[in-house]
Amino acid sequence: MEENAIVRAEGLRKTFTLSQKQQKLEKTAEKRKVAVDGLSFSAYRGEIYGLLGPNGAGKTTTLRILSTLIRPDEGDAFVGGCSVLREGEKVRDKIGFMTSELKLEGFFTPSYLFDFFGAMHGVGKDALAARKQELFSRFGIDRFAEVKVSDLSTGMLQKVSLVVAIVHDPEVVIFDEPTNGLDVLTAKVVTDFLIELKNMGKSILLSTHIFSLVEKLCDRVGVIIDGRMAAEGTLEELCGGCSLEDKFFEIYRNIKGEIV
């Protein structure tokens, strides 16, 4: 594994069986969909690395593999030197994974959920109490600590999902579309916190289809199209003075032969 590479994907491949309904939606007669196709990349310590691509490019599948939620058909990935295939528990100790698809049980309160996930990660009682006070105050959750999740606004629910994901103070934070569905105020809170985490020495891996988010946050970016790495580097290396949006569509056109 490369020195200073906190996350490394090596030849990841993942396919899924399509239902008849999914085949119609995909407008294909193929029964299998290749979501990730031989994907390799490295993310380094103390940086924000972005996976940029259109919907269906394989970004979410890649992050789920890195988070040990699904297994690749081929290849392996390493987080802090630990294999997602052979050392899943160690990987989960090192990461916080947040996705807009995370469903928190509506009956429970933010306080209960924070304590539950903290205990699951083995965080001590005193450390957990201090962590809760810090994060709940930071995100304005303290006033809603005993409110049922089902009664929270979308923005507050996203904040609760965030603090639950990082209850154990992980060294690697993985975000799938971190600002998806958020109002502008909550989105700014989240993006500012990502920068703060980076300044604290954390490593952040995020997926997005939003060019401005990459330009604001990311030290390096990997452009994924059809499950493959189409281009990778710093913004300066990729764009050479042009906008990221223009460069992306140039890459897309060269690969797909069209703009949609």
Side-chain angles (χ1 to χ4, degrees):
M1 197 161 152
E2 290 181 40
E3 186 178 357
N4 293 325
I6 189 70
V7 175
R8 183 169 177 82
E10 297 183 345
L12 295 179
R13 181 178 174 84
K14 183 66 180 179
T15 60
F16 295 100
T17 300
L18 297 177
S19 66
Q20 289 185 342
K21 182 178 180 180
Q22 288 171 324
Q23 285 177 288
K24 289 181 180 179
L25 290 173
E26 295 275 346
K27 297 180 180 179
T28 179
E30 298 292 331
K31 295 183 178 180
R32 302 285 293 177
K33 175 180 174 63
V34 179
V36 178
D37 191 5
L39 188 67
S40 299
F41 67 90
S42 295
Y44 299 102
R45 295 183 186 276
E47 76 170 0
I48 300 179
Y49 184 97
L51 290 174
L52 174 68
N55 292 337
K59 305 185 301 297
T60 295
T61 299
T62 300
L63 296 192
R64 287 178 175 173
I65 291 172
L66 294 175
S67 303
T68 76
L69 295 179
I70 57 176
R71 293 173 66 88
D73 300 331
E74 298 175 16
D76 198 354
F78 301 86
V79 179
C82 298
S83 163
V84 300
L85 292 178
R86 300 184 302 275
E87 301 169 283
E89 187 172 346
K90 290 182 179 179
V91 170
R92 289 187 288 275
D93 284 341
K94 294 176 180 292
I95 67 169
F97 177 58
M98 182 177 168
T99 171
S100 59
E101 296 180 3
L102 176 65
K103 305 301 180 186
L104 298 176
E105 177 55 55
F107 178 79
F108 296 119
T109 66
S111 182
Y112 175 87
L113 288 168
F114 192 86
D115 291 347
F116 174 82
F117 282 98
M120 187 174 67
H121 282 289
V123 182
K125 186 176 180 180
D126 291 342
L128 185 61
R131 183 81 170 150
K132 180 193 286 187
Q133 182 177 8
E134 172 197 354
L135 291 175
F136 276 35
S137 176
R138 171 71 171 75
F139 288 98
I141 302 172
D142 39 9
R143 293 179 295 139
F144 302 90
E146 302 301 334
V147 176
K148 289 182 180 180
V149 163
S150 59
D151 294 329
L152 297 176
S153 68
T154 300
M156 184 56 61
L157 183 58
Q158 190 82 330
K159 293 177 185 179
V160 173
S161 299
L162 170 58
V163 300
V164 164
I166 60 172
V167 59
H168 54 308
D169 196 21
E171 58 182 304
V172 179
V173 181
I174 299 175
F175 280 83
D176 187 19
E177 300 283 359
T179 60
N180 190 36
L182 297 184
D183 63 82
V184 292
L185 295 178
T186 305
K188 183 169 183 359
V189 169
V190 172
T191 55
D192 286 351
F193 188 61
L194 291 179
I195 295 171
E196 186 177 320
L197 287 172
K198 175 193 168 182
N199 292 336
M200 292 166 58
K202 305 295 184 181
S203 305
I204 299 162
L205 183 64
L206 61 86
S207 73
T208 187
H209 60 277
I210 302 173
F211 303 114
S212 60
L213 188 66
V214 173
E215 291 172 327
K216 178 179 179 180
L217 293 179
C218 296
D219 298 290
R220 291 190 306 123
V221 59
V223 177
I224 298 183
I225 297 173
D226 292 338
R228 301 174 183 174
M229 187 65 73
E232 185 183 25
T234 65
L235 290 176
E236 183 178 350
E237 289 169 343
L238 281 181
C239 301
C242 69
S243 72
L244 179 60
E245 181 176 5
D246 288 344
K247 185 62 180 181
F248 173 83
F249 284 115
E250 177 188 323
I251 294 168
Y252 189 92
R253 183 168 54 250
N254 288 339
I255 292 174
K256 303 286 285 187
E258 60 180 357
I259 293 295
V260 295

